[in-house]
Amino acid sequence: MGFLRPHAERIYALLRIMAGLMFMQHGLQKLFGLFGGVPAGAPAFIVYGAGIIELVCGVLVAIGLFTGPAAFLASGTMAVAFFLGHVVPAKGNLLPIVNQGELAALYCFVFFYIAAHGAGIWSVDATRQGSKRA
């Protein structure tokens, strides 16, 4: 769709911001019981370990600060979540549609792309570097 090409950087910035904000909400849910409360039966290392990563990395990705490392950590966290939270309980089934791991898999690859691409426009990283693209 060529008509969107002139807006690619702005669309990417919106993707980064929205992915960060949505990820942050998972951390707020785990750490503070917001948005439906702490997931039932979640072990402490998930609540506090993943919750802190989701909150901090979500904020950093959304504002575009230390975007690459934050997105890479978020991606890795979601890879672990996919395998521990979805593949293992599904007796090794790797298909996200079967093991209900679509969100973890999608977050994993979106954050992996963000880590590779960088912050882009509308980010603290770009402002700190004095450029359009960080």
Side-chain angles (χ1 to χ4, degrees):
M1 299 221 153
F3 74 95
L4 290 176
R5 191 170 310 277
H7 307 287
E9 283 297 314
R10 289 182 288 280
I11 292 168
Y12 171 76
L14 290 172
L15 171 70
R16 175 185 50 80
I17 292 164
M18 290 307 300
L21 291 174
M22 290 188 296
F23 199 59
M24 175 193 73
Q25 290 175 33
H26 289 280
L28 290 170
Q29 180 184 38
K30 287 179 182 72
L31 296 172
F32 302 110
L34 301 174
F35 314 118
V38 179
F45 81 93
I46 297 291
V47 172
Y48 297 107
I52 289 169
I53 291 170
E54 290 166 350
L55 177 60
V56 173
C57 290
V59 169
L60 291 175
V61 168
I63 66 172
L65 178 62
F66 307 119
T67 307
F72 189 74
L73 179 58
S75 175
T77 300
M78 289 296 94
V80 170
F82 177 74
F83 285 101
L84 290 182
H86 299 281
V87 173
V88 171
K91 297 178 178 42
N93 195 313
L94 289 172
L95 293 173
I97 194 71
V98 174
N99 67 31
Q100 299 177 345
E102 302 98 335
L103 187 58
L106 186 60
Y107 270 135
C108 177
F109 286 99
V110 166
F111 285 124
F112 197 48
Y113 177 72
I114 291 170
H117 186 276
I121 63 170
W122 303 341
S123 68
V124 176
D125 287 344
T127 302
R128 288 175 48 214
Q129 293 179 2
S131 69
K132 276 180 55 173
R133 186 164 177 168

